Amino acid sequence: MPRTTFAGCLIATLALSACGSSGVARRSAGSGGAESGGVTGVGGSTGVGSTGVGSTGAGGGSGGAVSGVGGAPGSGGYLASSGGNPTLIVDAGGMDAAPCETNLTGIVRDFRAYDQGGHPDFENKFLKSGLTTGLVEQNLGSDFKPVPSNLADTGGQITSKMTFNQWYRDTPGVNLSTTWTLPIVPVPGQVVTYAAIYDPSNPATSGFFPIDGQLFGNYPNPDSLHNYHFTFELHTTFLYQGGEIFTFYGDDDLWVFINGKLAVDLGGLHPPASGSADLDALAGSFGLVTGQTYPLDLFNAERNKWGSTFQVQTSIGFNNCQPILIY
């Protein structure tokens, strides 16, 4: 069963660069108890119900636990077990409105290159290149992962839907994972940028390479400078206040979902490209209402050697003070 853990604290205003039957934890708001799937909320205690029955966790704080089918959520709770698929319950009352510390943590998964006997979607010269939209469906999956479209099977950019489904899921024998925290320094009231831009004149120390020398290790051909073949997955929430933007510049694949809908689509094997989401322009079709809290889910892949750039600028105020790790 996928594992979900919560730790640390996320930032409020910044910019970044670059199922089992027991239920899967999606969000844990505030410092409440646990859902009946078995994950203990920070500062709270485990709910006493069993899967499919469940009851509210006993923990305190504004975000109580959410339990299995038949159980009741605590105020601000986020996750319910529904017999196999997680259920997102958006409730701004349990989220922190104030900024958190500089901690934005996601999951990096490492893959061996295809030409080294590894995954066919990484360092595979037989795949097509070029920016390609439509590789994933417009709505985030029920397990909070992107859903590959039919184009994943037929477009030549990805080997198949099956291979794509390994990108953002821990898969024994296929990938290794670790957590990674973006080194953000916030400036209140300003757009802050995390920029990791690859400079071909300075390949050893530039670019976005969060797992150099880790997991499967650096790509051996030709110079072992970097670990080039990985994905990055980040889940957070934000308080929509109006006027926010989110802009990404980088490579390779990048998808950003806001309130479960695809807002930035930069799929495919391509040089650095830019995409933006104007939340006010999306508000009507994405169901955004000012003063309410919504999820933001980001998925990135670095699939070929040489360049790796990851740069984002955003005025979004993230308010989930516990990293959300969905394995």
Side-chain angles (χ1 to χ4, degrees), residues 3 6 13 19 27 29 34 36 46 54-55 66 72 136 150 193 204 276 294 309 311 315 323 325:
R3 297 171 289 116
F6 309 96
T13 301
C19 266
R27 310 281 182 203
S36 63
T46 305
S55 62
V66 178
V136 300
N150 290 334
T193 301
S276 295
Y294 300 98
T309 290
Q311 174 179 289
S315 53
L325 306 175

Side-chain angles (χ1 to χ4, degrees), residues 6 24 33 99 113 121 126 142 157 181 237 262 280:
F6 309 96
V24 182
D121 292 337
F126 299 106
S142 61
Q157 289 261 0
T181 301
T237 60
L262 186 60
D280 285 355

